């Protein structure tokens, strides 16, 4: 058995943490969408992973048609945002008074979206050429520029979302709606429009996540299921309905997965992630930062 010295061990650790953070960035985008939608509607949308998968498929189709990767991910965001708008207006809007029905609808959407993709584009793996191929080597750590791109795009988008929700007039009205939908409506806030807006924003983030994911790994029509489970784990660890909690929990998950892979337990990565979720919920049932139980209604 090969014995590693301290420097090699540190290099492997840093390498795996970087790898973990890049995939955790995509998961964070899912978690942010999930937590925003739940905070305002009380609906746990398990089809959010399929929204990400559709974003990957749109990116793949666009790149295969000769469109640049950057325009492709923008197109993926638009297409998935429009899909989210249509599904909110056509389905989820009728389940707002019974969020459990919304959850059941989302389970049905998983099957429907998967089979639509399989019918038109098969169940085979799909991939695109990496948009960035540069690899930097610092010490013994190889830093792929595409992974850095994913981390920085996610950080920028999440930061803009956070600022918009905490500093803008729209954000203040949105937070008021989360606190009490009925009271917010009585104060003249168009709550139904805000619900639609949150669905569109969450869907656009999932579309972006799909575009970034296929830049890292091949995807299949079933990729969304794995990703959304980790997205919910992140949302629960941070506190379902808490935006900052989702971001911090995403970083924690990335470090945990990096540590497990770096020390030779890569096959246990998912177990550690969900084990952390269970441990947090045992001692902090509302998550590390405290979550919400959904919108308050009179």
């Amino acid at each position: 058995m090969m014995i590693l010295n301290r420097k090699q061990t540190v290099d492997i650790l840093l390498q795996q943490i970087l790898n973990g953070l890049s995939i955790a960035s995509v998961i964070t985008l899912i978690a942010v969408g999930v937590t925003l939608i739940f905070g305002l509607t009380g609906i746990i949308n398990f089809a959010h992973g399929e929204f990400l998968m559709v974003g990957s498929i749109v990116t793949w189709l666009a790149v295969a048609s000769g469109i640049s990767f950057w325009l492709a991910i923008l197109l993926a965001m638009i297409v998935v945002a429009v899909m989210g708008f249509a599904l909110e207006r056509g389905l989820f809007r009728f389940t707002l008074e019974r969020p459990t029905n919304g959850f059941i609808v989302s389970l049905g959407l998983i099957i429907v979206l998967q089979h639509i993709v399989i019918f038109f584009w098969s169940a085979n793996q799909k991939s695109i050429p990496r948009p960035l191929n540069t690899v930097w080597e610092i010490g013994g750590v190889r830093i792929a520029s595409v992974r850095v791109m994913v981390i920085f795009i996610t950080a920028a988008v999440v930061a803009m979302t956070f600022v918009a929700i905490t500093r803008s007039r729209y954000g203040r009205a949105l937070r008021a709606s989360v606190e009490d939908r009925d009271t917010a409506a009585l104060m003249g806030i168009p709550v139904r429009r805000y619900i639609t807006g949150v669905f569109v924003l969450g869907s656009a983030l999932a579309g972006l996540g799909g575009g970034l994911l296929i830049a890292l790994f091949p995807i299949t029509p079933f990729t969304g299921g794995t990703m959304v489970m980790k997205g919910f784990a992140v949302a629960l660890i941070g506190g379902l309905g808490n935006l900052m909690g989702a971001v911090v929990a995403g970083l924690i998950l990335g470090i945990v997965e990096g540590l497990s892979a770096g020390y030779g337990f890569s096959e246990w990565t998912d177990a550690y992630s969900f084990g952390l979720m269970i441990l947090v919920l045992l001692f902090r049932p509302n998550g590390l930062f405290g979550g919400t139980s959904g919108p308050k209604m009179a």
Side-chain angles (χ1 to χ4, degrees), residues 150-168:
V150 169
I151 293 171
F152 272 93
I153 289 177
T154 300
V157 170
V158 171
M160 288 189 289
T161 302
F162 183 78
V163 170
I165 290 176
T166 57
R167 301 292 178 86
S168 69

Side-chain angles (χ1 to χ4, degrees), residues 259-281:
L259 288 172
S260 63
Y263 282 101
F265 299 103
S266 56
E267 66 274 14
W268 288 86
T269 298
D270 290 345
Y272 286 131
S273 301
F274 290 105
L276 175 63
M277 178 194 72
I278 293 170
L279 189 64
V280 168
L281 293 180

Side-chain angles (χ1 to χ4, degrees), residues 52-64:
L52 176 137
M53 179 269 292
V54 170
S56 293
I57 293 293
V58 172
T59 304
W60 169 69
L61 288 171
V63 171

Side-chain angles (χ1 to χ4, degrees), residues 76-87:
M77 292 179 69
I78 294 171
V79 169
V80 180
V82 170
M83 184 180 75
F85 173 82
L87 290 174

